[in-house]
Amino acid sequence: MEISIKGLNKNYYSEGKTIAALDQVDLIIPANRIFTLLGPSGCGKTTLLRCIVGLEMPDSGEIAIGGEVVFSTEKGIYVPPDRRGLGMVFQTYAIWPHMNVFDNVAYPLQTRNEPKDDIRRKVEKTLHFVQLDGFEKRPATKLSGGQQQRVALARALVAEPKVILFDEPLSNLDAKLREETRKELRAFLTELKITAVYVTHDRIEALSLSDTVAVMKSGRIVEMGTPREIYFDSDRRFVADFIGRANFIEGRVATVGEGETTVDSAIGAIACEKKINASPGAAVTVCIRPEFIRVLKADHNVGRNIFRGKVESLVFVGDAYEGEIRVGETLLIFRIEPTTAVREGEEIALHFDPRHCSILLN
Amino acid sequence: MQKTRMGMTPGLIAIVGFLTVCPVVMLILGSFSEGLNAFGTFTLSKYVKAYTDPAFAEILVNTAIFTIGSAIVSTVLALFLAYLNTRTNIPFKFMFRIISLIPMMVPHILFAVSWVLLLNPSNGMINLFLRQVFGWEGAALSIYTLQGMILVEGLLDLPIAYLVIAPAMSAFDVSLEESSKVCGASNLRTLMRVTLPVLRPAILAAATLVIVRSLASFAVPSVIGMPGRIYVLATHIYRVVATGYVTDYGMAAAVGMSALAASITLIFLYRHLTREGEKYVTISSRGYRPSVIDLKGARYPLFGIVALLSFVLIILPVLVLFYTSVVPYSMVPSAKAFAMMGWKHWIAVLKDPVSLLSLKNSLYLGVGGATLGMILSFFVAYVIVKVRTKASGFLESLSFLSFSFPGIVVGIGFMWFFVQTPLYATIWALLIGYIATYLPYGIRPLTSAFVQIHSNLEESSRVCGGGPLYTMRRIVIPLLVPGIVSGWILMATMFVRELSLSVVLSRPGTEVLAVQILRFAEDGLWGRLSALGIIMIFISTTLVVIASRIGAKLTKVDK
Ligand SMILES: Nc1ncnc2c1ncn2[C@@H]1O[C@H](COP(=O)(O)OP(=O)(O)O)[C@@H](O)[C@H]1O
Ligand SMILES: [Mg+2]
């Protein structure tokens, strides 16, 4: 089901100050896809999610789920959370400690007074789906973090909601488990074909899990697109910076040609293939991700976007070398194959592929 | 929903404010006025009379020795026990849990009485024994001394000191000790130079709390101190209002003011010290177990001491009382004594209308008072934990203020108030006084229960399709039941044994168990006293068992 949000505002008042947790949010969450809200902590992701499920009352705006308006200040509509028929996985999992796994998972069905046999069957099926067969009698307090997370997922799925919402569901797991669970979650959600709204501040999770990513900042949606669009083609510095490590080089547009723009910068002229709406002379920033910097022999000088520099530092991080190169006054971070033969202090040439240089408007 | 929550806070502040502030205000007014009306003509004469009394200096000295002495006894014992439990491989560690729980089991007045039965100079069992076996003349040992009072009060307050010191001890950062040992210091030197100094805030906090308790204590000073003519502030106040010769509530209030001021000051000191102590504790939240010191050969001898302490604290008083209740008069256990045993005293008590009335009143106050008290505590704890405004912070401070009030002083304050109302000399006066004094005991377990219910637990029930009532029934109530039950048990057992407030507020017709026991003690009717005491212990235990059963039932809710 599609979720449409119009002009949503929510302020909090604490200690005499007003915090705009949501600031005029307009958003269409497409049906049956995995949609991620990404943003630094405190930007209002949880608040937006809680407004969608109905745990929080927005100050103004409208929310419709699958065409049905569940909240509207104009029409005076507020459907309480228990009648929105959604599923949600909380950041804390919120597993009820006084119940066993079966009762935790059966709860949404019990609230609907379904027949006992149906409940048993559905709970079994859902527990099987999240790979917790045979855990029915286990007390909720005797579960590991990963198991709690699965119980929370099973509970959110058991009543077959059309929309499921996740609030940073992996943030309480350790690194290795987080990676495994992320992959499983992707598999589950793809198989189920339901609308999933996923909140996270972790860019890897957002990029690897979603069909669509919306980046939030201080209560606003600043950009929305597929993971590739957000990663490669964002024209906002905040987004480019937040979504991954990058070099930002200030400069001015020199020429605007067919399919190519040249920017004059402190390290020289940089050719970029990305289209941009700027006339010569405009101040811009060129963004180059560290993995797109190629390190060449110092005497290499054929082609465009070749610069000369010196390796300032080099750290072996296992699957790559990471380090800094000084070009004139500018320090650039780079990341290269662990087999490449470079040494600290070495004079080298470096090359940026014009296809991977993006221009951000200042 | 938000609105009703907001509206609740002022209402609760009014109720709790009345309960805690009313006795204090009435006490102040009373101490400055002439006659039996708190709003009478202004006078300073009560203060002049109270504080120029030539005996007063001695009372102050006694009070200081008694409270500080008890604090030293219980803190040293608590340190010893806590160290053994958390830091050594002493066997049978469950014993420590039992020792820390006894205040639930043996009421203070009965504990004090059992020591009188053992060690009073005329016919204490140990004295009789010494006389028979060694032919010692007169009283070899007398409990009716300041030392006797300190010993008994120190043992009674041991659990409180232990509950403050043990957590600090187990949170102690062992690497501090280890580095001392690496530097070449011995175990003992490390203990003296590192362990104890780091634990100092906790030790001082425990001692302060015991001073507050013994300042408020009435059982020991009345049962042990008064026969030996050793008066402390609490018994001095009691003497002024209750024992015929100079009934003067104004003067009692004037004396009470200094006890109250001392208590409040000490409680603030205690709060400061516990905050200090937490600073040290946070250093060590790295989650390793303290290294355990091997006691080797001393394991069992040290355990023997712990076992002896538990015996003295728990089993001995009950044994002595039971024995006294079935022998016709004080005698050393012997074949002759066993031959003379009978139910004479039990029958006398069960036929005594005043004892029966006090039994009925205490049971009613225990069950009814604890229930009402828990209803109030429920809302107060809810506001403190879940509403979290400035007003709710104020409510929290207000509701914990009464923790520092000595019962007899609060009693005098309420006395001034109830005289103006039709509640005077009714059981309602006692009920209100009890709830006011013991409110923190109900609130504390409930606040921790509310804290445990993270709002996500309720919210996730709402998202799962449970309406507000359904969520209440299946999530909130079951999670709260353990807190409600333990708060109820605490309050009910406190109310069944309540003495220090009751001696002031109880009137003919509203006698309660502890007061009746005190009367028996004053008249030397030890047999009846013991029978009634055993009944009191039995009632407390039954209430605990029933409440726990009901709690267990309620936690298992149907679907
Ligand atoms: N109940 C509340 N009271 C006051 N401020 C709040 C409350 N909940 C959230 N906020 C504030 O609103 C902003 C957004 O919070 P939140 O939605 O939780 O952010 P995120 O989930 O993105 O980390 C933050 O600045 C936070 O401090
Ligand atoms: Mg959040």
Side-chain angles (χ1 to χ4, degrees), chain B residues 8 413 437:
Chain B
M8 225 155 76
T437 320

Side-chain angles (χ1 to χ4, degrees), chain A residues 45-46 91 167-168 199:
Chain A
K45 307 178 298 287
T46 300
Q91 188 168 10
D167 190 358
E168 314 215 9
V199 158

Side-chain angles (χ1 to χ4, degrees), chain B residues 183-389:
Chain B
C183 297
S186 66
N187 267 344
L188 186 66
R189 202 181 154 77
T190 306
L191 180 71
M192 300 312 266
R193 295 293 299 278
V194 178
T195 316
L196 292 183
V198 171
L199 288 175
R200 195 168 59 204
I203 294 171
L204 288 176
T208 314
L209 202 55
V210 174
I211 293 180
V212 173
R213 288 309 188 86
S214 49
L215 189 63
S217 163
F218 184 72
V220 173
S222 61
V223 173
I224 300 178
M226 292 208 304
R229 311 209 145 275
I230 301 163
Y231 284 89
V232 293
L233 276 179
T235 36
H236 179 57
I237 294 172
Y238 176 67
R239 176 168 60 171
V240 173
V241 296
T243 53
Y245 79 113
V246 274
T247 307
D248 186 342
Y249 280 94
M251 180 173 151
V255 175
M257 286 303 292
S258 52
L260 189 64
S263 281
I264 293 178
T265 315
L266 285 166
I267 276 292
F268 275 105
L269 178 66
Y270 167 74
R271 283 202 152 191
H272 172 74
L273 287 167
T274 39
R275 251 178 261 136
E276 269 313 274
E278 276 158 15
K279 266 189 229 156
Y280 282 104
V281 171
T282 48
I283 307 170
S284 68
S285 54
R286 266 167 275 155
Y288 39 45
R289 294 277 320 139
S291 65
V292 163
I293 292 168
D294 188 2
L295 295 173
K296 304 200 186 87
R299 254 183 113 203
Y300 285 93
L302 280 172
F303 172 73
I305 299 179
V306 176
L308 183 70
L309 254 178
S310 351
F311 174 76
V312 165
L313 283 169
I314 304 161
I315 304 180
L316 187 65
V318 181
L319 273 184
V320 169
L321 286 176
F322 186 74
Y323 174 78
T324 310
S325 78
V326 291
V327 293
Y329 52 87
S330 237
M331 55 172 85
V332 177
S334 63
K336 182 174 155 238
F338 278 95
M340 292 171 74
M341 277 182 183
W343 301 105
K344 189 179 99 179
H345 300 305
W346 286 79
I347 293 164
V349 163
L350 292 174
K351 281 191 174 158
D352 173 23
V354 182
S355 297
L356 287 179
L357 182 64
S358 71
L359 201 67
K360 195 183 103 197
N361 284 342
S362 283
L363 199 59
Y364 170 78
L365 283 166
V367 175
T371 308
L372 286 178
M374 283 317 286
I375 293 174
L376 179 60
S377 306
F378 182 90
F379 290 109
V380 173
Y382 178 84
V383 168
I384 289 176
V385 178
K386 298 274 167 173
V387 177
R388 294 218 147 276
T389 55

Side-chain angles (χ1 to χ4, degrees), chain B residues 411-465:
Chain B
I412 306 269
F414 269 124
M415 190 64 211
W416 286 103
F417 173 74
F418 286 129
V419 177
Q420 327 267 342
T421 68
L423 294 179
Y424 179 69
T426 66
I427 198 137
W428 292 99
L430 286 162
L431 188 99
I432 293 171
Y434 283 9
I435 293 178
T437 320
Y438 294 91
L439 198 57
Y441 291 83
I443 295 176
R444 188 143 317 157
L446 272 174
T447 43
S448 33
F450 272 117
V451 167
Q452 190 217 341
I453 307 187
H454 192 285
S455 54
N456 278 181
L457 295 179
E458 284 168 72
E459 289 169 353
S460 94
S461 161
R462 297 298 307 276
V463 176
C464 285

